[in-house]
Amino acid sequence: MRQDNNRKKKIIEILEKKGEVTVKELSNFFSVSEMTIYRDVKILEKQGLIKRKHGSILLNSSDNIDEKTIKTCPICEKPITRTNPYKIVINGKKTVEACCEHCGLMLHKKYENQEVTAMTYDFITERPINVLDAYYVVGSSAVPCCSPSVISFISQDDAEKFKKGFGGKVMTFIQAYQDIIERMSLNVKDCCNSQTFKIGDL
Ligand SMILES: [Zn+2]
Ligand SMILES: [Zn+2]
């Protein structure tokens, strides 16, 4: 018990120095199993001292970007970790955000009778795009967030190139919207199985 607490204290110290670590690194450092570290991490997370992001552990301090604004996706309830989430503005007032294009499109269903504007971001440049101007690769093998994945591009050319590498279909906003709504109404259980990947590993 004593040792457990010391280890947790030490984890915080390591994080204060290093900024972020992985469970594997900690398990090597303390020579304990990853399971043991996971248990510590869970407790520290519950206490609000740390948070997990993209497989790393970070201190839960205000210096860690988007700390105060961590929101959950209204569709899949996953925390929104993307720097630039999918944004829908309803009647020029209320803004709602989704974790990715997949959930963003689903969210439009909820507001289908309202006046909305929506923005998303180019997958490559992260530049903002009006969702109506974007091209979407739907159902590719790259699944950065929810599945079937929807990835947006400013340029149709980039979308086509991406499709060559990762499959899927290039669609306009309305096509992508209809496709996702249709697929999700048929097969809800496939929703939002997240799968992380690195472009370099593909
Ligand atoms: Zn979501
Ligand atoms: Zn998502």
Side-chain angles (χ1 to χ4, degrees):
M1 193 62 208
R2 180 76 169 279
Q3 206 163 14
D4 281 17
N5 282 332
N6 283 342
R7 196 173 50 235
K8 285 196 226 57
K9 227 176 112 195
K10 190 83 194 159
I11 291 176
I12 297 293
E13 280 172 29
I14 292 171
L15 282 170
E16 278 165 352
K17 266 187 228 139
K18 285 191 64 180
E20 63 175 86
V21 283
T22 62
V23 167
K24 203 174 169 56
E25 283 165 348
L26 289 174
S27 95
N28 289 340
F29 182 84
F30 292 107
S31 310
V32 293
S33 70
E34 291 189 20
M35 213 50 228
T36 304
I37 297 293
Y38 269 120
R39 263 206 309 268
D40 291 345
V41 163
K42 268 226 169 107
I43 294 167
L44 289 169
E45 201 174 26
K46 253 199 185 147
Q47 294 172 336
L49 295 170
I50 59 159
K51 62 172 184 167
R52 281 185 281 177
K53 198 173 178 183
H54 310 308
S56 291
I57 301 158
L58 293 113
L59 275 184
N60 197 9
S61 72
S62 50
D63 324 333
N64 284 332
I65 14 129
D66 58 7
E67 196 33 57
K68 281 156 276 172
T69 53
I70 278 250
K71 294 175 197 144
T72 46
C73 175
I75 300 291
C76 69
E77 296 182 345
K78 276 195 290 217
I80 298 176
T81 52
R82 216 162 86 165
T83 327
N84 297 312
Y86 192 105
K87 271 194 196 109
I88 303 179
V89 180
I90 303 128
N91 296 322
K93 284 182 222 136
K94 195 178 154 209
T95 304
V96 273
E97 294 180 352
C99 59
C100 62
E101 280 69 23
H102 168 110
C103 287
L105 292 170
M106 304 262 295
L107 200 55
H108 279 288
K109 178 81 182 151
K110 200 169 154 186
Y111 300 107
E112 62 184 341
N113 298 318
Q114 316 257 5
E115 292 272 344
V116 301
T117 55
M119 297 296 288
T120 189
Y121 293 81
D122 181 79
F123 185 66
I124 297 167
T125 62
E126 293 205 353
R127 248 185 287 158
I129 345 166
N130 183 319
V131 298
L132 298 176
D133 298 332
Y135 294 90
Y136 302 85
V137 177
V138 179
S140 72
S141 60
V143 185
C145 193
C146 301
S147 158
S149 77
V150 183
I151 297 175
S152 49
F153 296 89
I154 294 175
S155 117
Q156 188 172 8
D157 213 44
D158 285 346
E160 292 291 348
K161 271 185 216 149
F162 190 85
K163 178 190 133 181
K164 270 199 192 121
F166 301 98
K169 260 192 189 155
V170 177
M171 297 187 187
T172 61
F173 173 77
I174 196 68
Q175 289 167 338
Y177 170 74
Q178 284 163 350
D179 190 69
I180 287 298
I181 297 299
E182 198 185 304
R183 290 207 217 193
M184 296 321 289
S185 64
L186 294 176
N187 200 353
V188 177
K189 73 173 171 18
D190 275 352
C191 177
C192 308
N193 291 321
S194 77
Q195 189 185 333
T196 57
F197 72 101
K198 276 193 213 143
I199 287 288
D201 294 339
L202 292 169

